[in-house]
Amino acid sequence: MSQLDEVQANIKTTPGLGKSMAKWGALGAVVAIPVPFVGPVIGAIAGAGYAYMKRNK
């Protein structure tokens, strides 16, 4: 099983994790809009990653 499959399985089996990742991803995108080199896509990835790491402790 690859690491991506493990992450997807963890998101599906953990209640509320997907919703939290979406919320933090949206917040990361909004915060990163004024930053010229980061952009909203990288901000969204960072926000979703933060939510996953915070919940996966």
Side-chain angles (χ1 to χ4, degrees), residues 38-56:
V38 175
V41 173
I42 302 298
I45 292 169
Y50 171 75
Y52 181 78
M53 296 306 288
K54 184 177 84 168
R55 181 75 165 209
N56 199 27

Side-chain angles (χ1 to χ4, degrees), residues 14-39:
T14 306
L17 180 56
K19 183 178 178 181
S20 178
M21 288 176 70
K23 178 183 75 172
W24 282 100
L27 181 62
V30 169
V31 169
I33 287 173
V35 180
F37 296 108
V38 175

